[in-house]
Amino acid sequence: MGKLTGLKPERVLYYFEELTKIPRCSGDELRVAKYIEGTANELGLHVVRDEFHNVIVEKPAQGSNSSKTVILQAHTDMVCIARDGYDFDFACSPIPVKVDGDWIMTEGTTLGADNGIGAAMMLAIMEDKVSAYPAMSFLFTATEETGMDGVIGLKKGAVKGDMLINIDSEEEGILLASCAGGINHTARLPVSFGAARGGLKKIAVGGLKGGHSGQEIVKERANSIKLLARVLDKCRGVQIASFKGGIKMNAIPQSAEAVVAFDGSMDFVADMQAVFNNEYAGIEDSVNLVVSDFEGELPVLGVEESKKMIDYLLLAPHGVQRMSHSVDGLVETSLNLAIAVLDGGVLEVHQSVRSSVRSRKYELAENLVKLTERFGGETKLSDGYPEWQFREESYLREHMKKVWKELYGSELEISAIHAGLECGYLVEKIGDIDMVSIGPEHHDVHTPDERVRISSIERVYQFLRNTLEKIS
């Protein structure tokens, strides 16, 4: 007897529990790919597994008058994290699933409901020989969590269809219809050192909330790099010895610090802290601005070189640049001034650009290049990742809104996410077909507290089945 035996939807939870027994950390999908391939073979369906361990299964129409082919898509890998002190080997041990009321969770590891539940729904529909379904293709992609390697490696034309339903969302009752694309910009500004005027002091900004640069950028949280640049700009004649702020490209920087040579009064710092706390009241709990003496010796930039560096950080844009006119409350275009480090004679700055409109993404990236070149710096743009732009007209979106209303009597919310999804790449691989993303209620994904609501799985699965059965 499995831990999920007897719970509904029975076949979805059967397959999900089977998946939890198969090691499938991101980058280690061979075993789960073979399991899906074997299941498809047992069902007598055409199946292909590619070199990236993507699996494509084709199922002909059964009892449906629709001429459309629907693609269902989910990824097979999971984030593997165990709680501190919990001894667990993801490479050979089944996930320790447990049930607590209406929730599926674990004893102390990530659950892998992201995206195991989506894959399990697809397996259950694959084996269903009773329902009236249109022709379908099932696309199980690999290595989504650590770079989307599977969908990037997918050959164009490997899977075909008229519309696609991605089952990798985490909020029931919300249909995603767009996601942002991204591109990263790295600036390198050469600076030169000079003789120090005054003793060395360390100025630090901290206590900020930070957060995901896609999902939290709309909340207008403070950027520690920008705040520290404003403080340094008040220190007339300052000479910078070191500067570092930010850690990750996709995180709003929470802290930054600089060591400077400055012989003036630092009394204005208390006033600056009051200014920051006023500006970010209701957004940040507090802005901590601390000045302390620095013991030791460091080479410092000249005054003009320091001003050049400060001016660049002040002028470099950060935050929301444009809101969507198609989806209420959605950020269309933004950028995150993510990392700034003075290393030797070079200031290196990393900026992450996001937009759901390709031309806006490249326009903003090109403006960063122009700004950097004006300051005498060198620039580099990453290859980036593609956006999934909102379609003004969508049969699938309107069809699913109607089905949801018939099933549950409420309005299906249409939304978008200001972050990257596989759907952006799928547009490139399959074509600009009608596409949406749905999923049941998940919480704390990518953590040992990950859990998924059982009743939500049942509702979303019924919604998916009804959607397929009623496609015209």
Side-chain angles (χ1 to χ4, degrees), residues 158 247 300:
I247 299 173
V300 298

Side-chain angles (χ1 to χ4, degrees), residues 23 30 47 61 70 75 116 136 173 178 180 198 207 249 251 300 307 346-347 395 400 453:
L30 176 59
V47 57
V70 181
H75 65 85
M136 282 185 283
S178 173
M249 286 297 292
V300 298
K307 185 177 186 302
V346 175
L347 170 67
Y395 161 79
M400 294 179 78
R453 189 182 289 276

Side-chain angles (χ1 to χ4, degrees), residues 82-291:
R83 199 180 309 281
D84 289 345
Y86 187 80
D87 187 19
F88 189 81
D89 186 352
F90 283 99
C92 59
S93 301
I95 300 298
V97 175
K98 69 176 184 179
V99 176
D100 185 355
D102 197 26
W103 297 96
I104 303 172
M105 54 186 63
T106 76
E107 299 289 346
T109 72
T110 40
L111 175 63
D114 172 20
N115 189 212
I117 287 294
M121 287 186 183
M122 289 166 58
L123 288 163
I125 289 172
M126 271 172 51
E127 75 164 16
D128 185 345
K129 297 182 179 180
V130 176
S131 303
Y133 289 146
M136 282 185 283
S137 290
F138 301 84
L139 173 59
F140 300 86
T141 51
T143 324
E144 186 266 356
E145 299 289 6
T146 54
M148 301 192 187
D149 293 2
V151 71
I152 291 172
L154 185 70
K155 288 182 172 60
K156 287 187 177 182
V159 59
K160 296 180 175 66
D162 301 290
M163 57 193 74
L164 184 146
I165 302 174
N166 165 281
I167 318 174
D168 192 19
S169 294
E170 297 163 6
E171 295 181 271
E172 179 190 344
I174 298 178
L175 180 146
L176 295 183
S178 173
C179 76
I183 190 168
N184 295 333
H185 174 254
T186 299
R188 289 175 57 84
L189 274 69
V191 288
S192 57
F193 290 91
R197 302 175 184 174
L200 294 179
K201 297 183 182 296
K202 183 168 77 171
I203 306 174
V205 176
L208 307 181
K209 291 180 179 177
H212 189 282
S213 62
Q215 297 170 1
E216 267 78 47
I217 202 77
V218 72
K219 297 177 182 178
E220 299 186 331
R221 292 175 178 174
N223 180 314
S224 60
I225 295 171
K226 300 291 283 187
L227 297 192
L228 183 53
R230 289 174 62 183
V231 173
L232 295 179
D233 191 48
K234 297 294 184 183
C235 303
R236 302 303 179 187
V238 70
Q239 294 178 273
I240 301 172
S242 72
F243 189 106
K244 58 180 179 180
I247 299 173
K248 295 182 178 180
M249 286 297 292
N250 64 352
I252 302 168
Q254 296 176 280
S255 62
E257 64 178 42
V259 175
V260 301
F262 184 63
D263 58 5
S265 170
M266 302 292 286
D267 292 344
F268 71 91
V269 170
D271 293 334
M272 289 296 292
Q273 174 147 355
V275 168
F276 293 154
N277 283 330
N278 178 62
E279 290 178 352
Y280 291 97
I283 300 174
E284 299 286 352
D285 295 330
S286 66
V287 179
N288 298 329
L289 186 53
V290 178
V291 178

